[in-house]
Amino acid sequence: MKITEHIDRAKGETLFSFEIIPPVKGRSIQELYDNIDPLMEFKPPFIDVTTSREEYVYIDKGGLYDKKITRMRPGTVGICSSIQHKYGVDTVPHLLCGGFTKEETEYVLVDCHYLGIDNVMALRGDAMKEEKYFRPTEGGHNYARGLVQQIRNLSEGKYLHETIETDDCSDFCIGVAGYPEKHLEAPSLQSDLKRLKEKVDAGADYVVTQMFFDNDKFFEFVKAARENGITVPIIPGIKPIAVKRHLQLLPQVFRIDLPQDLIDAVDVCSNNKEVRQVGVEWAIQQSKELKAQGVPVLHYYSMGKSDNIKAIAENVF
């Protein structure tokens, strides 16, 4: 079922969903199941599965190092299929511009269609770890807008190199990212909203936001999006702070502001266990306010661990 259909069927009730990261290669998928199992009692209608960019590794060749590209995590589509089969919930594989050609993207979409995966998240993706700025992959998309358009074209039987007449075209529900405090590369929030509107006009069906810790930033973002003609559902993304280092890391990496009350609460913690509890309590407060305002879904970034997400959900759902 499409994400938009889940939202419509909920008739105004706020749904629970979360996002997971595939385990690094060499690990069993059971590790993933162990973190999903505790969250199933909250009846998530869908689970997002991230896709990681390729990475450089250096192989020692007798004193000289050979630079190679590798992927450190297993395929997202295969994980999505296994989760759907095991739990009977919809999954949302993340598709990236970075690291994939248009042909490779088409292969992924064809596999999703065959496997009964109805939803995808279209993202530009980040720069590679060793690169300061995002660099488009040769033969790939520069921006998520083009990726959305390619996905939408398939619903009309328009493949990259041919048009196929069929009664069984794909019809993906497409999610895209939104940034309540603007994308770190955007010159202004208004210009960022214009880019978001372009993605929606290209065929995006819903928006999931980057993490934020001040609900007013989200409410202002939704208001501005509506004023710019963006009418699709906007889902808030919530990430509980887990370690003290997040005070420096999150603003640096994501260019977001942290409320002073949250900073003060974390500063007085003597260890990361206490920080984790502060993160849970803050996210509970955020979630209750967002739910009271009627957001369609509360989407949690689990980062592969479920204990803090479970603690939050127990107090909200």
Side-chain angles (χ1 to χ4, degrees), residues 51 86 138 142 158 215 228 265 284:
T51 295
K86 179 175 176 62
E138 184 175 352
N142 291 5
K158 297 177 182 176
N215 284 351
N228 279 267
I284 289 171

Side-chain angles (χ1 to χ4, degrees), residues 75-274:
T76 296
V77 173
I79 291 174
C80 284
S81 181
S82 67
I83 290 173
Q84 287 198 173
H85 177 73
K86 179 175 176 62
Y87 296 102
V89 301
D90 284 306
T91 52
V92 186
H94 288 196
L95 305 182
L96 305 181
C97 297
F100 296 88
T101 66
K102 295 174 185 177
E103 284 77 10
E104 289 171 330
T105 295
E106 184 169 283
Y107 299 151
V108 170
L109 291 168
V110 168
D111 284 348
C112 287
H113 180 48
Y114 285 157
L115 293 167
I117 295 171
D118 297 325
N119 307 280
V120 293
M121 175 66 68
L123 304 166
R124 189 199 71 173
D126 299 322
M128 292 182 68
K129 284 185 177 180
E130 295 188 356
E131 297 176 354
K132 188 173 182 180
Y133 301 106
F134 176 83
R135 184 175 58 175
T137 297
E138 184 175 352
H141 292 286
N142 291 5
Y143 303 104
R145 178 181 67 249
L147 178 54
V148 170
Q149 187 62 65
Q150 181 181 358
I151 299 166
R152 190 56 68 205
N153 284 345
L154 283 186
S155 66
E156 301 174 9
K158 297 177 182 176
Y159 291 75
L160 290 174
H161 306 302
E162 59 187 331
T163 298
I164 299 176
E165 297 292 337
T166 176
D167 293 328
D168 189 28
C169 287
S170 62
D171 186 21
F172 294 107
C173 182
I174 306 170
V176 292
Y179 300 86
E181 298 172 74
K182 88 174 183 60
H183 189 277
L184 59 91
E185 296 174 18
S188 70
L189 181 58
Q190 188 58 39
S191 64
D192 201 27
L193 284 166
K194 288 181 179 179
R195 302 289 86 80
L196 180 58
K197 180 66 161 58
E198 290 173 359
K199 291 188 285 189
V200 172
D201 289 345
D205 298 292
Y206 68 99
V207 176
V208 180
T209 75
Q210 180 179 256
M211 71 183 76
F212 57 91
F213 294 88
D214 181 346
N215 284 351
D216 286 342
K217 298 284 180 67
F218 173 78
F219 297 136
E220 291 165 5
F221 171 74
V222 172
K223 182 176 183 292
R226 301 308 184 212
E227 290 172 350
N228 279 267
I230 298 167
T231 60
V232 299
I234 299 178
I235 296 171
I238 304 296
K239 174 181 169 54
I241 275 186
V243 295
K244 193 166 257 190
R245 187 164 174 260
H246 279 165
L247 292 186
Q248 290 75 42
L249 189 64
L250 297 181
Q252 178 183 3
V253 173
F254 298 101
R255 303 297 193 272
I256 58 175
D257 289 333
L258 300 178
Q260 190 60 47
D261 287 349
L262 176 58
I263 296 170
D264 292 342
V266 171
D267 273 340
V268 299
C269 293
S270 59
N271 55 57
N272 282 333
K273 182 178 180 180
E274 293 179 3

